[in-house]
Structure formats: structure tokens, C-alpha cells
DNA sequence: AATTTGACCATAA
DNA sequence: GTTATGGCCAAAT
């Protein structure tokens, strides 16, 4: 009954990630919330790790951590730099600290309106 | 089937 | 400012 959403948890995360508009970024926590997994910021990170390589339609590079910084990791095989490059390509400018001003690029805007 | 793994966030000291 | 800790979950091997 109610086959409302028997979709894999990860797929919902991917769906939420695809909704991030170009030139904008969302945090893991936000994506988790949009995916219907409030508080599961970690799952988002886990899911994205499994998808990053065969990248298809998922703008995984638009997902960053709550600090407004790209989550670098040794296990990422350098995909973290690809993320940096892609964000720059979309017109996003990093601060001197290598961070992204969420107040400007954060999405959805409603979470960052002053 | 059990073990391993993995890109977070918030709080406390 | 850093460091440590708890919480949370699913997929790949």
C-alpha cells in the first residue's frame, strides 16, 4: 500500500542535489533536509561519495559543508579539486580563505537572507 | 551475512 | 582557536 516513496535513500539525496540551481551551493545539512532526511547530513556525504565518479546529471559539486567550504578528503582521489574548479566555472567566487560566502551563493536563499 | 567505510554537524572542554 | 565525542545511516565488498 501507499507506495508513496519506496525509493532508495540515496536516490532521494541525488534528487535533492539536482535541484540546486547553477551558480549556487547548498550545504549537506540542507540537502539532507530537502531529501526528506533531516539531520542526516552524513548520509548526504556518504551518498555523494558513491556517485561522484560516474557523474551524470548530479551537480554534486554544488554541495558543500556547513562551513561554506569544500570538504576535502584523502579518499576522494582529488575529486575535491574538480569541485572547486566547477564552482569557479559556474561563476562562484571563493574568499581568500578558500571559502564560499553562503550569504551570497547559499541555497535556498530563504536560509541565508539576512 | 557480517564487516568496512565514508564528502557531516553540533556541542563541550 | 583546536581537539574530542556523540549521533546517524545505507551501500559495497
Amino acid at each position: 500500500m501507499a507506495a508513496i516513496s519506496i525509493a532508495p535513500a540515496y536516490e532521494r539525496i541525488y534528487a535533492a542535489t539536482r535541484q540546486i540551481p547553477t551558480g549556487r551551493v547548498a550545504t549537506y545539512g540542507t540537502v539532507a533536509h530537502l531529501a526528506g532526511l533531516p539531520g542526516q547530513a552524513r548520509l548526504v556525504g556518504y551518498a555523494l561519495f558513491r556517485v561522484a565518479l560516474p557523474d551524470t546529471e548530479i551537480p554534486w559539486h554544488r554541495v558543500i559543508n556547513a562551513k561554506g567550504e569544500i570538504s576535502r578528503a584523502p579518499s576522494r582521489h582529488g575529486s575535491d579539486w574538480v569541485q572547486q574548479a566547477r564552482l569557479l566555472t559556474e561563476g562562484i567566487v571563493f574568499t581568500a580563505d578558500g571559502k564560499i560566502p553562503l550569504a551570497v551563493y547559499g541555497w535556498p536563499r530563504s536560509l541565508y537572507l539576512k
Side-chain angles (χ1 to χ4, degrees):
Chain A
M1 58 169 280
I4 299 177
S5 57
I6 309 180
Y10 280 27
E11 191 168 317
R12 301 209 311 237
I13 293 172
Y14 303 146
T17 303
R18 278 188 217 114
Q19 293 163 56
I20 303 173
T22 304
R24 209 143 272 147
V25 295
T27 65
Y28 292 98
T30 298
V31 173
H33 185 74
L34 293 173
L37 304 167
Q40 302 274 14
R42 251 185 168 182
L43 261 199
V44 177
Y46 301 158
L48 293 179
F49 178 78
R50 306 293 193 189
V51 87
L53 294 178
D55 169 66
T56 54
E57 302 287 328
I58 307 171
W60 54 270
H61 53 266
R62 295 185 191 137
V63 183
I64 61 177
N65 62 30
K67 290 167 273 184
E69 170 69 286
I70 294 174
S71 295
R72 306 186 193 108
S75 303
R76 283 182 74 180
H77 192 50
S79 65
D80 44 358
W81 295 105
V82 175
Q83 179 173 16
Q84 157 85 43
R86 285 189 170 195
L87 292 175
L88 287 171
T89 300
E90 296 191 350
I92 293 176
V93 179
F94 288 67
T95 65
D97 293 338
K99 299 196 296 190
I100 298 174
L102 292 174
V104 178
Y105 303 107
W107 179 88
R109 297 290 299 272
S110 54
L111 297 180
Y112 303 99
L113 293 177
K114 66 174 171 13

